[in-house]
Amino acid sequence: MADDQSNRPTTTTVASPTFAITYSLSSHTLTLHRPSQPSLHYPSPINSFWDLFSRCQEELSSHLRTSRGNEKSKFRGGWVGWFGYEMKEESLAGHKSRWSTGYPAWAKDENMDACWSWVDRFVERSNEGEWTVRGVVQDGQTGQGLTAESELLKWLEAQGISFAMSSDQFKQYTYKVESTLSQPHAGPSHPVDESFPAFHPIITGDQHRDSIDKCREAIRQGESYELTLTTRFDATLPTSNKQDETYSLYLRLRARNPAYYSTYISFPSINTPRDEGIFIISSSPERFLKIDERRNVEMMPIKGTMARVKAGQCVCTPTTGCRGLDIGGEECTEEGKREDTRRADWLRNDKKERAENLMVCPY
């Protein structure tokens, strides 16, 4: 979501996945989660989740088609979820496991390094307020129709998992959306809490300083030329209704820190040793990667970049350009062009910015 002062096009998407799969690096275990059903483990050990998941997705992409009457959307379904940073343990040779770095015991017990839900239907709201229903519909009335060959896809279908809807199911979903949107919007029934819970680090200050020393040593040894050290913070929500409280927390975060790539993802069917449900709350200004239908990859990192001077934007100072007295005028426009050039030159010549740019765009 964008803030009200921006005219940048945005969309709001609401999806309702019916199942989720999770993967743990510590046990090499894949687990299927569904509402009101016990979790199921994939029957054999997994050497590489990347390979298993990739083969499943490639087969889905080759079989599924867009819903009839909605071919222009080119929507074939997709996965919503995350890969954790530590998944590089399976893709980057020589990477050390995190479990030797002081993580608490419970973190390993509830460790989920990847979590993905399949989306075969969603509702999208454009920046102009137009709502669109998109879905994947299989030929026939069953919503099935795949002849699975990949190991993961075979196993999921054996558990009754469907990756598309029947025509009747899509009509029912559309009718439900239309009925919901036709109802008058009800505001909050209680005052909105503006506060945030108190967050506390899961490691001590000494452990964090030790990690800093290890990063510096890795750079000295030539293993990396830049490292981003992160840690985890925990907080306790005040109520037992996690679904409502986490969404309320997301709305407060979005109001306080508006960002184009704000996200709220709910996985209520996933249980952990400490609680029920997993909820992702994000307010990010950055879209790192975008892959279009032609498989073109676009990168838009923030590292190594700087905002350009926009048309009509006044960057004049009391001693330059229009001096703030003629915004959008000729002197103001010319100063904007000069400032844009200065920013480009600074990025081009600053060692730190060049290093970060090369790090995220190595090719």
Side-chain angles (χ1 to χ4, degrees):
M1 297 291 293
D3 60 76
D4 294 336
Q5 297 178 349
S6 172
N7 59 3
R8 180 177 178 179
T10 62
T11 59
T12 300
T13 303
V14 182
S16 303
T18 57
F19 74 94
I21 57 173
T22 59
Y23 179 64
S24 170
L25 280 166
S26 61
S27 61
H28 297 282
T29 301
L30 182 145
T31 307
L32 171 65
H33 308 266
R34 289 174 288 185
S36 304
Q37 296 189 44
S39 300
L40 292 175
H41 295 303
Y42 189 71
S44 57
I46 298 172
N47 294 324
S48 170
F49 179 77
W50 296 103
D51 293 341
L52 188 74
F53 193 57
S54 177
R55 288 192 294 269
C56 176
Q57 172 57 25
E58 287 176 359
E59 186 169 354
L60 282 172
S61 296
S62 66
H63 281 293
L64 295 177
R65 297 293 182 267
T66 57
S67 57
R68 289 195 295 270
N70 197 26
E71 289 80 5
K72 291 183 179 180
S73 73
K74 299 182 180 180
F75 177 61
R76 297 187 179 186
W79 298 91
V80 174
W82 79 87
F83 288 116
Y85 280 113
E86 301 303 331
M87 283 298 294
K88 57 181 174 284
E89 291 180 18
E90 285 192 352
S91 61
L92 187 61
H95 181 72
K96 297 178 182 178
S97 172
R98 92 206 78 164
W99 303 116
S100 59
T101 60
Y103 272 69
W106 57 258
K108 186 172 183 177
D109 292 336
E110 68 175 33
N111 171 43
M112 293 179 187
D113 297 283
C115 178
W116 292 93
S117 286
W118 176 257
V119 175
D120 63 1
R121 70 201 77 178
F122 69 91
V123 185
E124 180 180 72
R125 183 182 184 275
S126 70
N127 200 44
E128 294 74 29
E130 181 184 39
W131 291 91
T132 303
V133 179
R134 305 189 191 278
V136 181
V137 178
Q138 285 289 340
D139 292 333
Q141 298 298 314
T142 64
Q144 302 288 336
L146 293 178
T147 303
E149 296 182 4
S150 70
E151 306 94 316
L152 178 56
L153 193 55
K154 283 182 180 179
W155 180 71
L156 290 172
E157 289 201 321
Q159 312 311 316
I161 297 297
S162 175
F163 292 88
M165 298 173 286
S166 66
S167 296
D168 287 342
Q169 287 174 325
F170 185 66
K171 291 177 182 177
Q172 293 170 7
Y173 177 68
T174 303
Y175 175 76
K176 183 177 180 180
V177 171
E178 290 175 341
S179 299
T180 301
L181 293 177
S182 65
Q183 298 176 5
H185 172 70
S189 58
H190 53 81
V192 177
D193 183 6
E194 298 287 343
S195 64
F196 283 83
F199 285 84
H200 305 281
I202 67 169
I203 61 175
T204 66
D206 288 340
Q207 289 174 317
H208 188 65
R209 282 186 285 271
D210 181 61
S211 295
I212 293 174
D213 291 338
K214 290 179 179 177
C215 288
R216 289 172 172 168
E217 182 60 27
I219 292 174
R220 279 193 291 267
Q221 295 293 331
E223 294 185 14
S224 177
Y225 60 87
E226 184 177 42
L227 293 167
T228 301
L229 180 61
T230 63
T231 189
R232 173 171 166 173
F233 288 75
D234 277 2
T236 301
L237 294 175
T239 68
S240 59
N241 190 336
K242 297 296 188 295
Q243 184 81 49
D244 289 347
E245 181 60 31
T246 52
Y247 187 66
S248 175
L249 182 63
Y250 162 70
L251 294 179
R252 300 199 297 274
L253 175 64
R254 194 178 72 178
R256 187 172 296 188
N257 181 50
Y260 294 111
Y261 303 104
S262 298
T263 301
Y264 174 82
I265 308 178
S266 170
F267 298 98
S269 64
I270 299 177
N271 296 327
T272 71
R274 295 201 303 166
D275 213 335
E276 295 183 357
I278 288 180
F279 306 89
I280 306 300
I281 300 173
S282 172
S283 186
S284 174
E286 180 181 36
R287 184 190 71 204
F288 188 52
L289 291 174
K290 177 184 178 181
I291 305 175
D292 64 20
E293 66 274 9
R294 297 180 180 178
R295 311 303 293 171
N296 296 316
V297 179
E298 180 185 53
M299 300 183 68
M300 294 185 65
I302 291 178
K303 288 183 177 181
T305 66
M306 178 178 287
R308 300 197 64 175
V309 177
K310 299 178 177 63
Q313 179 184 358
C314 180
V315 294
C316 304
T317 70
T319 59
T320 63
C322 73
R323 300 185 297 280
L325 302 176
D326 185 23
I327 298 176
E330 183 177 352
E331 290 186 0
C332 183
T333 301
E334 290 303 314
E335 179 60 24
K337 293 179 180 179
R338 288 191 291 269
E339 173 61 18
D340 199 57
T341 300
R342 284 192 291 267
R343 294 181 184 185
D345 291 340
W346 185 81
L347 280 175
R348 189 179 299 113
N349 297 314
D350 186 82
K351 291 182 179 180
K352 172 184 173 295
E353 298 297 337
R354 283 181 59 82
E356 288 195 322
N357 196 277
L358 289 170
M359 181 181 68
V360 297
C361 305
Y363 304 108

